[in-house]
């Protein structure tokens, strides 16, 4: 049993990324400078992970010596990466927090178009959950509070946009049905 | 024009990506509106988002353009739009490394960090610390200290985490914030607690006492954060490991109590910590295993995965402890997550009975193509373990492995399979031919040079001794025709071994060799020419020395000796016996298959321990002229643990002398020891020539002193001796705090335990891959034989173990493993006696009433033979 105890450290998350259903990167952050230092290696890794995970919604995988927890929603894939020794449940709590926070910001429309339209919010959410690999917050309510879209100006914009998307979707699905 | 989200865009379909066709230059152009007054927050926000998006996609920004955009961005601090400000912080962090003069935003950030808007304060601290260096950190130190103890959790957390990032760069500054972090640790907010604990540990981790105090405090106070609990468990288990604390320690109790925590994350962390502890007994494991068993039926895939992965680890060492979970594991073998299924099956293979093997193997073959390479390696490891446990199953396994070998897969995976097949071949002689046949087939189409050369080496070793060696020649010669240089060279070496062992194949091998001499590569040609000439001599001794058993010298040692020889050319030919021997002979035992998470670091050729000693000793003038270092022993403790002074001795053997190196540590912080020597009184005719004192031994800094002893010339068989040792030194009392010693001291001495020199100190282990060839090579000029009765030994295993450790020689041909249910066994040992002569021992053991042993010793030198027989008697 060569795998030693995990070194006591707050640096839990090695990387987090969101891909679309073609495996394209929408957002990704690597927190360990020794892990895939170049953009090419990172995209390679993402491609590899995507290929192994997009078919079956299995929640957890082990690839290239890394534990990866993931979740998908419509046309989006969310991934959180940790070391082989990492507590899988800690990674899960990060993934769940990320997903739930985004779900609330996007008014439950966790899909690609809506995510891209609110990219600033997505960047801010990720920034509030993980800082340099350290879990900064794991409670979605706290994250939302910290990102703080004020009812007056900000959340207004999001409601308006997401409702627009909703309506455009409704129209599309209706026209498709017709 | 600026692209904006308007209605048309929205309706153009949900498939399009508003960022898809972004042009960096266009976006930077747009960034000019940052300078417009009044600021339009909505548009600026969108542009900043685009910039961050581009950076995230890996777009390269030149320093000039990045700096320009950065400076334009700083103007946006005038706006009070919250999201815009937050995006500015993000931009600062993203651009910290690509833009110049980012420190111009320091004052704006400092203002935000100390301002009234709580929403800004946390993120501002994090952005500020990202652009701060050690000198600037001191300027904001006051604010950081205040922020750490701020009552707003997000501010405190941000300050703590940023401090942690800064530790790497400015340890000395951050160290001064320990008291603030301490205060933060008692916060009510769970994240603040966690971050404070992390920072405190990081600052104190080199001070074991402080860590222990901290643990003591927090385990009692009861934290609320599950993350903090996980962290505490990790710290506790690390401390347990370092202090080798027993499992009755309060730390272990704490970890065990966490098994009853109400949060699954904590329970799992505790179970995993217990499982990973070295020397855990089955009873201590039981509670951990039973919580893991519960997790196996969890609806959460991650939890099932975590549980079965950990159980798999337990099964490696304590298969019986996991048997209780067999039923739960059976339910997982059809899990839709193939990783979980694979782990469940491989665990069952370790814990289940022989009868279930076939069924499980069938199950796993049904989806082996779906799982990732990492898990395929896990499967191979399980098979490897299984073959050792149930040798009769090797045919099923061999079949499975050969199928896996044909599938696609990366290097690690293929290597694991090849290693596994090789170990099966070595364990089960009857599987040798099938195994070799599979490997032959594999190298026909193998892209990995390392594996091909490894297999060729194995073919050369094992092939000639099979009933029909000729069938392997074709496979080997195909390599010479088709492959790269390294493989061709390995193939030539393998061919030579066939020619040397089998007289009837020799003519054909010579013909093939002749062809290889025309190869385009130097190395291949050289090898072929060399082997050709050796083989043509048709002498057993030459074959043994140059074809079967290679060099056993240390390679760095050889390099150094040859270099030395070229510097001082002499009439005498270079003597191989002056080269130090390799200390760790290439083990014939099964190579450990690397763990799943293989490190990606390339293996470095580190100088061996003995090469390091050789270097150290050569730098001491008194030890020059002793010749090459022959052997260095493992350290021997000469004091009890936890005494005032800790002394251990390493015995260095030279041709006619021995050097004793005493590594001493002074554990008293109020004493400085000077002129430390260890005085030695030999029981035999050994003569102490020199003492080299350690000049001074301050508190807890190890130092070494040496004694040089001449071995008795007149009686070369006197190999064992007992020395009574006394450490003598000058004590100077000193102030424990400053380490300032008093002016004068006094002489004192300390009695150490006796030091034994035994026959093993005079013999270096050497592996002879082909023992019988070596046996013939040495010849029977000085052969002696004697029979002994070992009355006190009960089993053959025990006898073999005793002989090996007593003589300190290398077992060959895997003869250190006694097959089960046998009453007799032959043990082959090889070594080199001080002075450079090979010594070979053949011990025939028979189990009757006690063990009877017939020892035959051969060597090129009579003394060595006498020494061994005399010492065994």
């Amino acid at each position: 049993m060569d795998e030693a105890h995990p070194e006591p450290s707050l640096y839990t998350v090695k990387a987090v990324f969101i891909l679309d259903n073609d495996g394209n990167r929408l957002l990704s952050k690597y927190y360990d400078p020794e892990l895939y230092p170049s953009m090419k290696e990172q995209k390679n890794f993402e491609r590899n992970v995507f290929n192994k995970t997009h078919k079956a919604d299995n929640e957890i995988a082990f690839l290239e010596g890394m534990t990866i927890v993931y979740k998908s929603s419509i046309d989006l894939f969310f991934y959180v990466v940790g070391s082989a020794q990492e507590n899988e449940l800690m990674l899960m709590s990060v993934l769940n927090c990320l997903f739930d926070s985004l779900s609330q910001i996007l008014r439950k429309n966790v899909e690609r178009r809506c995510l891209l339209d609110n990219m600033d919010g997505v960047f801010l959410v990720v920034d509030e959950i993980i800082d340099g690999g350290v879990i900064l917050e794991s409670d979605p309510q706290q994250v939302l509070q910290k990102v703080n879209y004020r009812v007056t100006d900000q959340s207004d914009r999001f409601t308006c946009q997401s409702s627009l998307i909703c309506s455009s979707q409704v129209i599309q699905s209706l026209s498709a049905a017709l | 024009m600026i692209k904006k989200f308007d209605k048309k865009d929205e309706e153009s379909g949900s498939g399009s990506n508003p960022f898809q066709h972004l042009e960096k230059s266009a976006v930077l152009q747009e960034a000019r509106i940052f300078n417009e007054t009044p600021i339009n927050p909505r548009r600026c926000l969108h542009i900043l988002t685009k910039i961050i998006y581009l950076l995230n996609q890996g777009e390269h920004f030149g320093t000039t353009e990045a700096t320009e955009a950065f400076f334009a961005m700083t103007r946006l601090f005038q706006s009070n739009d919250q999201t815009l400000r937050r995006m500015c912080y993000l931009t600062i962090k993203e651009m910290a490394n690509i833009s110049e003069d980012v420190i111009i935003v320091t004052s704006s950030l400092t203002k935000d960090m100390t301002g009234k808007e709580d929403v800004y304060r946390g993120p501002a601290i994090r952005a500020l610390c990202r652009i701060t260096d050690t000198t600037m950190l001191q300027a904001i130190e006051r604010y950081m200290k205040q922020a750490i103890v701020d009552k707003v959790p997000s501010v405190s957390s941000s300050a703590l985490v940023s401090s942690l990032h800064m530790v790497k760069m400015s340890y000395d500054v951050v160290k001064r914030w320990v008291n603030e972090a301490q205060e933060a640790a008692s916060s009510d907010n769970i994240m603040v607690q966690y971050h404070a604990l992390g920072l405190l540990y990081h600052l104190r981790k080199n001070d074991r006492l402080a860590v222990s105090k901290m643990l003591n405090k927090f385990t009692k106070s009861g934290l609320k954060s599950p993350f903090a609990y996980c962290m505490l468990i990790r710290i506790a288990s690390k401390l347990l490991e370092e202090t080798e604390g027993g499992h009755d320690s309060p730390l272990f109790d704490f970890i065990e109590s966490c098994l009853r925590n109400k949060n699954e994350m904590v329970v799992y962390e505790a179970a995993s910590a217990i499982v990973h502890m070295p020397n855990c007994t089955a009873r201590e494991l039981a509670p951990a295993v039973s919580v893991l068993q519960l997790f196996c039926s969890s609806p959460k895939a991650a939890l099932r995965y975590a549980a079965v992965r950990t159980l798999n680890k337990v099964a490696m060492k304590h298969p019986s402890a996991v048997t209780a979970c067999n039923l739960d594991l059976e339910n997982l073998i059809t899990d839709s997550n193939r990783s979980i299924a694979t782990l469940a099956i491989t665990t069952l293979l370790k814990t289940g009975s022989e009868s279930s093997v076939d069924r499980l193997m069938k199950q796993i073959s049904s989806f082996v193509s779906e799982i990732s390479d990492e898990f395929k390696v896990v499967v191979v490891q399980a098979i490897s373990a299984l073959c050792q446990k149930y040798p009769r199953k090797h045919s099923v396994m061999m079949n499975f492995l050969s199928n896996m070998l044909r599938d696609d897969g990366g290097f690690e995976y293929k290597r694991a399979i090849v290693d596994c097949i090789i170990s099966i071949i070595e364990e089960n002689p009857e599987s040798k031919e099938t195994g070799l046949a599979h490997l032959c087939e594999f190298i026909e189409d193998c892209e990995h040079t390392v594996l091909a050369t490894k297999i060729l080496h194995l073919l050369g070793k094992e092939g000639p001794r099979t009933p029909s060696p000729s069938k392997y020649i074709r496979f080997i010669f195909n390599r010479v025709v088709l492959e790269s240089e390294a493989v061709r060279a390995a193939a030539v070496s393998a061919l030579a071994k066939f020619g040397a062992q089998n007289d009837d194949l020799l003519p054909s091998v010579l013909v093939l060799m002749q062809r290889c001499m025309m190869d385009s590569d130097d190395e291949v040609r050289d090898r072929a020419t060399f082997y050709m000439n050796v083989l043509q001599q048709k002498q057993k001794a030459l074959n043994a020395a140059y074809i079967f058993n290679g060099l056993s010298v240390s390679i760095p040692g050889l390099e150094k000796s040859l270099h030395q020889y070229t510097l001082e050319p002499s009439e005498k030919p270079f003597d191989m016996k002056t080269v130090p021997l390799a200390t760790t002979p290439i083990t014939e035992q099964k190579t450990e298959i690397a763990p799943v998470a293989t490190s990606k670091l390339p293996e470095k050729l580190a100088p061996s321990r003995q090469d390091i000693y050789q270097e150290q000793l050569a730098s001491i003038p008194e030890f020059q002229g002793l010749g090459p270092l022959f052997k260095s022993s493992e350290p021997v403790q000469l004091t009890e643990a936890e005494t005032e002074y800790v002394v251990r001795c390493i015995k260095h053997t030279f041709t006619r002398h021995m050097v004793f190196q005493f590594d001493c540590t002074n554990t008293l912080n109020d004493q400085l020891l000077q002129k430390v020597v260890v005085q030695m009184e030999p029981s035999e005719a050994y003569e102490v020539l020199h003492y080299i004192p350690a000049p001074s031994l301050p508190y807890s800094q190890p130092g070494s002193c040496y004694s040089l002893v001449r071995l008795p010339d007149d009686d070369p068989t006197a190999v064992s001796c007992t020395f009574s040792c006394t450490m003598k030194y000058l004590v100077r009392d000193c102030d424990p705090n400053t380490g300032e010693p008093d002016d004068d001291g006094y002489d004192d001495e300390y009695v150490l335990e006796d030091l034994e020199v035994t026959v093993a100190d005079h013999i270096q282990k050497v592996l002879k891959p082909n023992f019988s060839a070596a046996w013939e090579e040495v010849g029977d000029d000085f052969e002696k034989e004697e029979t002994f009765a070992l009355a006190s030994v009960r089993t053959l295993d025990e006898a073999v173990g005793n002989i090996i450790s007593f003589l300190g020689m290398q077992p060959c041909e895997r003869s250190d493993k006694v097959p089960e249910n046998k009453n007799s066994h032959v043990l082959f040992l090889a070594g080199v006696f001080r002075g450079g002569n090979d010594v070979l021992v053949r011990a025939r053991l028979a189990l009757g009433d006690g063990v009877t042993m017939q020892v035959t010793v051969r060597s090129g030198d009579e003394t060595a033979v006498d020494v061994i027989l005399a010492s065994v008697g």
Side-chain angles (χ1 to χ4, degrees):
Chain A
M1 287 205 266
D2 295 358
E3 280 178 54
H5 292 292
E7 175 72 10
S9 156
L10 295 189
Y11 294 96
T12 307
V13 182
K14 297 263 177 208
V16 55
F17 46 88
I18 305 175
L19 307 180
D20 69 10
N21 59 353
D22 297 321
N24 295 318
R25 166 194 284 202
L26 300 180
L27 176 152
S28 81
K29 297 288 280 175
Y30 286 76
Y31 299 107
D32 183 349
E34 280 161 31
L35 177 80
Y36 310 119
S38 78
M39 192 57 66
K40 201 176 150 213
E41 290 166 290
Q42 293 180 4
K43 292 206 166 164
N44 238 335
F45 175 63
E46 285 160 29
R47 166 79 24 203
N48 197 356
V49 168
F50 181 76
N51 287 341
K52 286 281 178 192
T53 53
H54 76 284
K55 278 187 222 121
D57 198 4
N58 277 333
E59 198 170 295
I60 187 158
F62 186 81
L63 270 172
E64 302 189 18
M66 230 81 63
T67 303
I68 298 149
V69 293
Y70 62 101
K71 206 177 188 119
S72 67
S73 166
I74 311 180
D75 50 3
L76 289 175
F77 290 83
F78 299 84
Y79 297 89
V80 175
V81 182
S83 80
Q85 291 85 29
E86 197 45 76
N87 185 328
E88 290 85 349
L89 301 182
M90 278 176 120
L91 299 175
M92 270 317 275
S93 74
V94 175
L95 179 68
N96 287 334
C97 175
L98 174 68
F99 188 84
D100 295 345
S101 311
L102 291 180
S103 172
Q104 295 213 31
I105 280 198
L106 304 177
R107 296 279 185 268
K108 302 250 187 311
N109 291 299
V110 188
E111 47 96 34
R112 180 167 170 274
R113 181 61 209 247
C114 196
L115 184 102
L116 284 170
D117 286 342
N118 297 290
M119 216 47 203
D120 44 357
V122 180
F123 283 128
L124 290 177
V125 163
V126 172
D127 183 61
E128 282 299 347
I129 298 176
I130 310 153
D131 186 80
V134 178
I135 305 176
L136 200 57
E137 184 51 76
S138 68
D139 176 2
Q141 287 315 317
Q142 292 293 324
V143 173
L144 291 176
Q145 210 179 349
K146 287 181 193 173
V147 173
N148 186 31
Y149 285 101
R150 281 202 183 150
V151 188
T152 46
D153 49 320
Q154 290 309 314
S155 65
D156 197 34
R157 184 170 74 103
F158 283 103
T159 16
C160 133
Q161 277 190 0
S162 40
S163 61
L164 261 175
I165 289 153
C166 292
S167 57
S168 72
Q169 275 178 339
V170 169
I171 292 164
Q172 273 181 2
S173 54
L174 277 176
S175 54
L178 288 169
Chain B
M1 237 338 262
I2 308 138
K3 284 186 202 151
K4 248 179 88 177
F5 289 137
D6 51 276
K7 242 185 168 168
K8 224 156 108 196
D9 252 1
E10 296 287 352
E11 282 163 3
S12 65
S14 58
S16 76
N17 176 350
F19 298 100
Q20 199 156 35
H21 303 292
L22 281 187
E23 283 278 338
K24 179 181 70 176
S25 50
V27 174
L28 290 174
Q29 192 81 20
E30 287 179 69
R32 291 192 181 162
I33 65 151
F34 293 169
N35 291 318
E36 279 173 18
T37 330
I39 292 166
N40 178 338
R42 182 73 59 86
R43 283 168 62 187
C44 293
L45 181 60
H46 191 57
I47 293 162
L48 279 186
T49 311
K50 284 180 184 172
I51 292 177
I52 296 178
Y53 184 87
L54 282 176
L55 284 168
N56 207 266
Q57 288 295 323
E59 186 81 43
H60 177 76
F61 280 62
T63 311
T64 327
E65 53 191 8
T67 311
E68 216 165 273
F70 187 88
F71 274 69
M73 182 274 301
T74 56
R75 245 200 106 240
L76 302 181
F77 270 86
Q78 289 172 11
S79 161
N80 279 325
D81 184 283
Q82 266 194 14
T83 312
L84 181 61
R85 181 72 59 89
R86 298 287 311 272
M87 287 305 275
C88 286
Y89 299 148
L90 279 192
T91 317
I92 293 169
K93 288 205 269 188
E94 293 290 335
M95 287 198 158
N97 288 333
I98 44 177
S99 163
E100 283 176 339
D101 300 323
V102 285
I103 53 168
I104 58 150
V105 286
T106 305
S107 63
S108 307
L109 289 173
T110 318
K111 210 174 112 209
D112 282 355
M113 131 182 203
T114 51
K116 285 199 180 64
E117 286 274 17
D118 287 345
V119 193
Y120 290 160
R121 293 171 60 202
I125 292 171
R126 286 185 274 132
L128 181 59
C129 286
R130 186 76 179 74
I131 57 165
T132 298
D133 59 19
T134 304
T135 39
M136 269 170 56
L137 189 63
Q138 287 173 346
I140 56 163
E141 183 171 3
R142 187 162 56 94
Y143 304 122
M144 285 301 287
K145 280 182 166 181
Q146 280 167 4
I148 288 174
V149 294
D150 198 284
K151 63 182 190 312
V152 179
S154 68
V155 176
S156 178
S157 272
S158 292
L160 287 163
V161 173
S162 299
S163 309
L164 181 68
H165 298 324
M166 303 294 286
V167 169
K168 276 176 226 125
M169 198 175 68
S170 327
Y171 176 81
D172 290 325
V173 181
V174 180
K175 198 177 64 183
R176 298 198 290 253
W177 309 344
V178 163
N179 288 336
E180 283 75 16
Q182 191 88 50
E183 195 182 326
S186 48
S187 155
D188 285 338
N189 182 284
I190 59 168
M191 289 319 280
V192 175
Q193 245 176 27
Y194 171 56
H195 296 140
L197 176 67
L199 179 62
L200 282 173
Y201 173 71
H202 211 78
L203 290 174
R204 288 171 172 168
K205 67 180 169 190
N206 294 324
D207 181 350
R208 206 176 281 168
L209 192 69
V211 172
S212 159
K213 271 188 196 159
M214 185 173 92
L215 268 179
N216 198 10
K217 184 180 161 208
F218 287 122
T219 51
K220 286 211 179 82
S221 69
L223 298 169
K224 283 193 295 181
S225 157
F227 293 127
Y229 260 110
C230 291
M231 182 79 183
L232 277 183
I233 292 170
R234 288 183 196 182
I235 301 174
S237 63
K238 190 174 154 85
L239 196 66
L240 264 178
E241 196 175 343
E242 282 175 355
T243 55
E244 285 158 18
H247 295 168
D248 46 356
S249 119
L251 291 177
F252 186 81
D253 292 344
F254 163 72
I255 298 177
E256 201 174 27
S257 74
C258 290
L259 288 174
R260 293 182 292 279
N261 193 293
K262 58 183 186 299
N263 193 305
E264 281 169 346
M265 188 194 295
V266 179
V267 176
Y268 168 62
E269 186 73 45
S272 161
I274 292 176
V275 165
H276 281 100
M277 273 176 204
N279 320 320
C280 220
T281 63
R283 228 194 70 214
E284 285 156 344
L285 278 174
V289 169
S290 56
V291 301
L292 292 173
Q293 184 178 6
L294 278 181
F295 289 163
C296 280
S297 45
S298 160
K300 295 179 199 157
L303 192 51
R304 293 200 302 277
Y305 172 87
V308 67
R309 191 172 77 108
T310 314
L311 284 175
N312 193 7
K313 289 231 180 69
V314 184
M316 286 180 192
K317 267 194 179 169
H318 303 275
S320 56
V322 188
T323 343
C325 311
N326 276 2
L327 212 61
D328 307 78
L329 291 169
E330 284 282 352
N331 290 332
L332 295 180
I333 63 177
T334 48
D335 200 295
S336 65
N337 185 324
R338 294 310 188 193
S339 310
I340 296 177
T342 312
L343 286 167
I345 292 176
T346 51
T347 312
L348 282 170
L349 284 175
K350 293 183 190 114
T351 63
S353 64
E354 191 167 356
S355 56
S356 60
V357 169
D358 292 299
R359 184 174 55 89
L360 291 168
M361 294 305 287
K362 209 170 155 195
Q363 175 74 30
I364 205 164
S365 2
S366 67
F367 63 79
V368 78
S369 57
E370 292 174 45
I371 56 182
S372 65
D373 268 14
E374 277 84 353
F375 282 101
K376 287 180 182 163
V377 174
V378 173
V379 173
V380 176
Q381 284 173 345
I383 293 175
S384 174
L386 204 61
C387 291
Q388 285 180 356
K389 202 164 142 204
Y390 304 121
R392 276 184 296 159
K393 285 281 164 202
H394 67 77
S395 58
V396 185
M397 302 300 161
M398 195 62 102
N399 239 330
F400 187 77
L401 287 171
S402 67
N403 284 334
M404 288 175 99
L405 205 49
R406 282 190 208 113
D407 288 345
D408 290 339
F411 171 67
E412 288 298 330
Y413 171 48
K414 295 280 155 138
R415 190 181 70 173
I417 303 175
V418 169
D419 285 345
C420 183
I421 293 183
I422 292 177
S423 79
I424 295 178
I425 293 174
E426 285 174 349
E427 300 283 330
N428 311 284
E430 64 268 39
S431 69
K432 189 186 280 179
E433 286 206 54
T434 28
L436 289 180
H438 289 313
L439 292 176
C440 279
E441 190 194 327
F442 174 60
I443 53 170
E444 286 286 292
D445 182 22
C446 169
E447 55 190 319
H448 308 293
T449 310
V450 182
L451 293 181
T453 50
K454 187 169 186 175
I455 292 171
L456 283 169
H457 178 74
L458 180 80
L459 285 176
K461 201 172 119 214
E462 301 288 345
R465 287 189 267 178
T466 54
S468 53
S470 58
K471 66 176 175 193
Y472 301 107
I473 302 275
R474 177 172 67 88
F475 291 102
I476 299 175
F477 192 68
N478 278 349
R479 301 301 106 230
V480 179
V481 185
L482 300 168
E483 299 276 355
S484 65
E485 294 81 7
V487 180
R488 294 206 300 272
V492 168
S493 302
L495 273 181
K497 288 183 185 150
F498 281 83
Q501 182 97 11
N502 308 87
D503 288 338
D504 46 332
L505 287 179
L506 184 60
S508 354
V509 169
L510 285 177
V511 173
L512 296 176
M513 227 25 122
Q514 196 98 48
R515 280 201 226 164
C516 300
M517 284 163 70
M518 262 104 70
D519 197 280
S520 59
D521 182 67
D522 291 352
E523 172 74 20
V524 181
R525 272 200 315 273
D526 288 355
R527 283 198 194 189
T529 315
F530 174 71
Y531 289 130
M532 182 85 185
N533 285 305
V534 175
L535 287 172
Q536 278 169 341
Q537 305 300 313
K538 295 186 184 158
Q539 285 183 25
K540 281 247 148 56
L542 282 179
N543 286 350
Y546 295 112
I547 297 182
F548 294 126
N549 300 322
L551 289 175
S552 50
V553 294
S554 117
I555 300 297
L558 178 62
E559 187 189 347
K560 212 170 292 166
S561 306
L562 284 171
H563 181 63
Q564 197 62 35
Y565 187 77
T566 53
L567 288 181
E568 298 161 12
S570 73
E571 292 298 307
K572 280 195 299 178
F574 180 73
D575 183 5
M576 280 300 272
K577 285 181 183 171
T578 61
V579 180
L581 294 161
T583 33
T584 41
I586 316 93
T587 44
E588 215 178 356
Q589 271 71 25
K590 180 181 80 79
T591 43
E592 283 294 318
I593 297 177
V596 182
T598 39
S599 63
K600 277 179 267 175
L601 295 174
E603 284 172 37
K604 273 184 243 152
L605 186 70
S608 70
R609 188 173 148 263
Q610 186 166 338
D611 292 326
I612 297 168
Y613 285 135
Q614 165 102 15
E615 198 99 316
Q616 283 174 357
L617 293 177
S619 64
I620 299 171
E622 282 84 348
F623 299 151
Q624 280 167 2
L626 295 183
L629 175 57
F630 178 71
K631 180 176 186 177
S632 297
S633 73
E634 290 298 315
V636 185
Q637 297 294 341
L638 295 183
T639 50
E640 302 279 331
E642 315 282 324
T643 45
E644 297 96 311
Y645 311 115
V646 179
V647 180
R648 52 172 213 171
C649 176
I650 298 161
K651 297 173 271 184
H652 302 288
T653 312
F654 290 84
T655 316
R656 287 201 186 77
H657 301 83
M658 286 187 83
V659 169
F660 299 93
Q661 173 183 346
F662 298 95
D663 293 336
C664 317
T665 312
N666 167 15
T667 63
L668 298 178
N669 62 359
D670 56 354
Q671 283 192 356
L672 171 71
L673 306 189
Q674 288 183 319
K675 297 179 199 158
V676 185
V677 289
V678 174
Q679 193 168 345
M680 305 177 76
E681 295 292 339
S683 66
E684 306 287 327
Y686 284 48
E687 188 190 347
V688 182
L689 298 179
H690 273 300
Y691 290 114
I692 296 171
S696 101
L697 269 189
Y699 163 61
S700 85
Q701 286 178 23
S704 298
C705 60
Y706 300 88
S707 309
L708 174 62
V709 170
R710 187 167 67 213
L711 299 170
D713 282 333
D714 43 342
D715 181 12
T717 54
V719 288
S720 45
C721 180
T722 306
F723 292 89
S724 43
C725 304
T726 314
M727 183 162 85
K728 299 199 167 179
Y729 44 83
L730 178 77
V731 184
R732 291 172 74 184
D733 291 324
C734 58
D735 186 323
N737 296 321
T738 60
E740 199 61 44
D742 290 352
D743 289 339
D744 34 42
Y746 51 92
D747 287 318
D748 201 354
E749 59 181 52
Y750 190 82
V751 178
L752 304 174
E753 282 172 31
D754 288 353
L755 180 68
E756 302 271 353
V757 173
T758 63
V759 62
D761 291 316
H762 300 271
I763 298 176
Q764 178 68 278
K765 292 180 179 190
V766 165
L767 179 72
K768 298 284 183 193
N770 189 329
F771 187 81
S772 61
W775 186 255
E776 296 301 324
E777 180 199 349
V778 172
D780 55 3
D781 297 352
F782 298 108
E783 179 180 295
K784 288 194 182 175
E785 193 169 88
E786 242 176 279
T787 308
F788 304 92
L790 310 173
S792 59
V793 184
R794 290 271 158 266
T795 64
L796 289 176
D797 263 333
E798 194 185 342
V800 167
N802 285 352
I803 300 168
I804 294 172
S805 69
F806 180 75
L807 289 178
M809 293 171 74
Q810 176 69 32
C812 296
E813 309 275 343
R814 306 181 66 76
S815 62
D816 53 329
K817 290 205 172 167
V818 183
E820 278 174 48
N821 307 325
K822 285 272 181 69
N823 287 328
S824 62
H825 182 67
V826 187
L827 173 68
F828 301 112
L829 296 172
V832 170
F833 192 71
R834 177 169 53 80
N837 281 303
D838 278 347
V839 185
L840 301 172
V841 171
R842 186 180 66 197
R844 295 177 197 272
L845 302 162
L847 184 66
D849 200 21
V851 174
T852 320
M853 171 172 76
Q854 184 194 47
V855 182
T856 315
V857 189
R858 284 187 176 187
S859 170
D861 173 43
E862 192 167 8
T863 324
V865 177
D866 291 338
V867 165
I868 291 197
L869 282 180
S871 56
V872 175

